[in-house]
Amino acid sequence: METSKLRNKFIFFIVFAGIITLLLILFHFVEAPIKDYLTDFFGATDRRMGDTATVLFEHLFRILKIVLWMSLIVSIVRFVNHLVFSTALQRSNSYEISSLLRNVFSIIIYIVSFFVIFNSQYPNVDLAALFTTSTILGVIIGLALQDTLGNLFSGLAIQADQPFQIGDVISIPTKGEGVVEQVSWRGVQIRTFQNRLIVISNSVLGKEVVEVAPRDNLNARLVFFNTLYANSPTRTIQAVREVVRQIENVSQKIRPAVRVINLGDSGIEYEVKYWLEDYSKYNETDALIRQRIWYAFQRERIEFAYPTRTLHIETKPQENVFVETSSEIYERLSNVPIFAPLSDEETRKLADGSNLRVFAPGEAIVRQGQKGDSMFVVHRGAVDVQIKEAEATKNLRKLREGDFFGEMGLLTGEPRTATVLTDGETEILEINSLCLKPILEENPELVESLSRIVEERRQSFDKPEDKTMPTEIKDKASIFNSIKKFFGLAD
Ligand code: CMP
């Protein structure tokens, strides 16, 4: 396609230049005979008329020659321009050479050629002096070219500065946004995302604040969305980040960031920050991201928030999304070894009295040294048990679904022996002393089995490197007494 275009241009140029050359050669030969003929023809009647006709003819001929020579020069310059700038250089360099530079080159060649040709026809006329000395001409040209020259010089400044290249996306307030297609001596041409062309003159552009998204740069975009308060931010962020990463044109070099930017009136507000391979396609990519978020939300049962005005007439505490049926909690508790001695009914009572809580990733559920009267069972997710030793933090164990912790605090009232942090979003069952006390009061023999289990666990923990238990309750008997004391149970 490109080669056939070039061939056509070449043929056109050869034919055009050939015709002009032929005309110039023809002029060379016919000039003298025509002049003689005119002198004879008009001179036959009046000699002065013959002279005038010859002079007029001479001027006409000279002007015609200037025009023909200039046409030849223009056609050569245009052809060379095309050959050098648009074809050869464009191939070697991925950027198209700005047409402004091409035009400046061409104009210089035209002016120089015009001077040379004019001088060859009128050697006695000093064209340069004519231009420089004629103030009136200068003023007229100056006024006429005021805007044009302004544009030209702003264009040259833009060229020197190179704040943007062809192919970059630029956005100019009040003018528009689009991909730079051409930088000419008059202005910059951009193609908007509606496929319209906008030409902004260089002088206007020089005064505006131009936002540039360079073509060979990773440019970021922000997409916003809201979810209901009932939906967990961790799950939402995970789901959105996963789908955004897979979208075409989203750069793999930098991970998209999804974050909570506000807790708004109608929901949790998020922003997705992602980087584009090709910024000029950001409209399509933004749209695809929104579409994929919708599908991800459908799968994950996350709901978009929209401005609503809700009248709540509540007769019971509002249901929490994380509250499971008590039978599921019962199921979980009956598989926890520490509660194995409890009867079905007691386990059910315990399930009814316990609370299911959700924690964010990295959140502390209990802190070492703090007092607490609850114990916990991991329902979904995992936690890390850590202790602080001389300013350093040491990871002791990871506890998973069905594991329990915090039993020392609950059963003895001692300060927490370790800090327990979530590893990812985690759901935890919390059982407090108020809930356990009536069960222990009804079954004093339970204290015995509980202290055995705590002691067994303590033994398993009690390695030289992780001695976290309080020194005064090192054996089963002391644990037993401590439990009884703490719950106020009779001997
Ligand atoms: P408590 O002391 O109430 O609070 C911190 C809890 O971390 C503690 O009860 C135990 O349940 C748990 N814990 C303490 N030390 C260890 C350990 N070495 N391994 C596993 N869990 C521990």
Side-chain angles (χ1 to χ4, degrees):
M1 181 64 197
E2 273 301 309
T3 16
S4 74
K5 245 180 165 177
L6 193 69
R7 204 184 47 220
N8 288 346
K9 278 207 179 246
F10 183 68
I11 294 171
F12 179 79
F13 164 70
I14 292 291
V15 172
F16 186 76
I19 292 173
I20 304 250
T21 320
L22 275 178
L23 279 174
L24 283 168
I25 294 168
L26 190 73
F27 272 25
H28 184 72
F29 287 112
V30 299
E31 191 178 351
I34 292 179
K35 230 174 3 188
D36 291 345
Y37 172 77
L38 284 175
T39 323
D40 293 346
F41 183 77
F42 289 105
T45 42
D46 182 348
R47 211 178 147 259
R48 260 179 45 212
M49 216 168 117
D51 287 349
T52 322
T54 318
V55 170
L56 271 178
F57 170 76
E58 239 175 42
H59 283 305
L60 186 73
F61 240 71
R62 281 179 189 172
I63 291 167
L64 263 176
K65 270 199 263 180
I66 293 173
V67 170
L68 283 177
W69 271 111
M70 279 312 291
S71 311
L72 191 62
I73 299 285
V74 168
S75 71
I76 293 172
V77 167
R78 292 190 68 156
F79 183 69
V80 171
N81 236 340
H82 185 79
L83 211 65
V84 177
F85 287 111
S86 312
T87 321
L89 282 184
Q90 196 178 359
R91 240 176 258 151
S92 63
N93 180 346
S94 56
Y95 288 113
E96 195 192 320
I97 297 290
S98 140
S99 66
L100 175 67
L101 283 186
R102 291 159 49 174
N103 288 343
V104 168
F105 277 128
S106 312
I107 288 168
I108 291 171
I109 294 177
Y110 294 154
I111 292 172
V112 172
S113 316
F114 180 74
F115 270 82
V116 173
I117 296 167
F118 190 86
N119 230 350
S120 72
Q121 296 305 316
Y122 292 100
N124 302 326
V125 180
D126 186 356
L127 202 59
L130 192 76
F131 272 101
T132 47
T133 52
S134 164
T135 334
I136 295 176
L137 193 68
V139 169
I140 291 172
I141 291 178
L143 283 176
L145 293 183
Q146 202 179 26
D147 279 352
T148 319
L149 286 177
N151 281 332
L152 179 68
F153 286 115
S154 307
L156 285 173
I158 289 173
Q159 274 304 307
D161 229 18
Q162 297 237 317
F164 48 77
Q165 306 264 18
I166 285 161
D168 291 354
V169 174
I170 62 169
S171 136
I172 305 144
T174 71
K175 302 286 178 299
E177 185 180 25
V179 182
V180 178
E181 286 210 331
Q182 204 182 55
V183 183
S184 71
W185 60 271
R186 213 171 68 77
V188 171
Q189 184 176 306
I190 61 173
R191 191 170 288 276
T192 68
F193 297 118
Q194 291 77 42
N195 205 23
R196 280 196 289 269
L197 282 178
I198 300 182
V199 180
I200 305 149
S201 67
N202 287 333
S203 47
V204 169
L205 202 74
K207 291 176 202 139
E208 290 281 351
V209 177
V210 184
E211 193 187 309
V212 184
R215 192 171 68 160
D216 51 3
N217 191 48
L218 272 185
N219 299 292
R221 289 275 307 165
L222 296 176
V223 173
F224 302 94
F225 66 91
N226 299 348
T227 68
L228 292 183
Y229 275 107
N231 302 128
S232 129
T234 312
R235 235 159 34 93
T236 308
I237 290 170
Q238 238 166 26
V240 173
R241 198 163 44 203
E242 213 34 59
V243 290
V244 172
R245 283 176 82 175
Q246 288 162 15
I247 291 170
E248 206 190 319
N249 199 27
V250 171
S251 172
Q252 299 298 314
K253 288 180 200 135
I254 307 179
R255 233 157 73 111
V258 185
R259 38 189 177 220
V260 176
I261 49 163
N262 191 24
L263 299 173
D265 290 346
S266 45
I268 308 177
E269 295 169 15
Y270 295 86
E271 73 172 16
V272 183
K273 185 177 185 185
Y274 74 98
W275 282 260
L276 293 111
E277 293 288 346
D278 180 356
Y279 189 75
S280 65
K281 294 202 181 104
Y282 75 73
N283 273 324
E284 292 90 323
T285 317
D286 280 4
L288 208 58
I289 286 178
R290 291 186 194 108
Q291 196 198 53
R292 294 283 172 82
I293 290 177
W294 187 90
Y295 282 106
F297 279 16
Q298 285 294 306
R299 287 193 299 272
E300 298 290 327
R301 306 201 186 291
I302 299 170
E303 283 175 87
F304 283 103
Y306 40 84
T308 45
R309 187 161 292 187
T310 316
L311 187 63
H312 289 287
I313 304 169
E314 286 185 32
T315 49
K316 62 179 174 80
Q318 202 188 0
E319 206 177 276
N320 186 305
V321 267
F322 294 104
V323 169
E324 310 248 328
T325 58
S326 63
S327 68
E328 269 173 280
I329 298 176
Y330 163 76
E331 219 23 62
R332 169 69 69 209
L333 293 182
S334 48
N335 287 317
V336 176
I338 201 170
F339 301 126
L342 300 184
S343 70
D344 270 5
E345 203 193 330
E346 283 159 347
T347 313
R348 214 168 278 284
K349 265 190 197 163
L350 201 64
D352 289 344
S354 63
N355 291 310
L356 190 68
R357 309 224 181 272
V358 65
F359 288 86
E363 223 178 328
I365 304 163
V366 297
R367 284 187 191 278
Q368 187 175 346
Q370 281 182 351
K371 284 238 173 194
D373 62 352
S374 309
M375 68 165 287
F376 308 87
V377 175
V378 182
H379 186 53
R380 190 177 64 80
V383 296
D384 289 313
V385 183
Q386 294 181 341
I387 50 163
K388 243 194 176 150
E389 275 180 344
E391 290 313 300
T393 304
K394 188 172 157 203
N395 258 340
L396 293 181
R397 199 149 292 164
K398 189 175 285 295
L399 303 176
R400 303 182 191 278
E401 285 171 16
D403 287 343
F404 64 90
F405 62 93
E407 74 289 347
M408 291 305 299
L410 172 74
L411 297 175
T412 64
E414 292 293 325
R416 299 293 187 192
T417 53
T419 296
V420 182
L421 296 162
T422 56
D423 173 19
E425 186 181 275
T426 306
E427 284 174 45
I428 299 286
L429 276 169
E430 184 181 1
I431 300 154
N432 60 26
S433 59
L434 285 180
C435 167
L436 199 60
K437 196 176 172 191
I439 297 171
L440 291 179
E441 277 170 348
E442 271 176 42
N443 309 273
E445 70 282 8
L446 256 181
V447 179
E448 170 76 33
S449 49
L450 280 176
S451 39
R452 196 188 61 243
I453 288 167
V454 172
E455 163 64 3
E456 273 169 18
R457 192 177 194 197
R458 192 188 67 80
Q459 290 292 338
S460 77
F461 294 171
D462 202 11
K463 293 186 199 137
E465 74 273 13
D466 51 75
K467 286 192 174 72
T468 53
M469 297 291 142
T471 41
E472 63 275 18
I473 47 167
K474 278 281 178 203
D475 54 34
K476 199 181 122 211
S478 55
I479 295 171
F480 180 83
N481 287 333
S482 165
I483 295 174
K484 281 181 97 175
K485 203 172 118 203
F486 180 63
F487 283 92
L489 305 173
D491 284 329

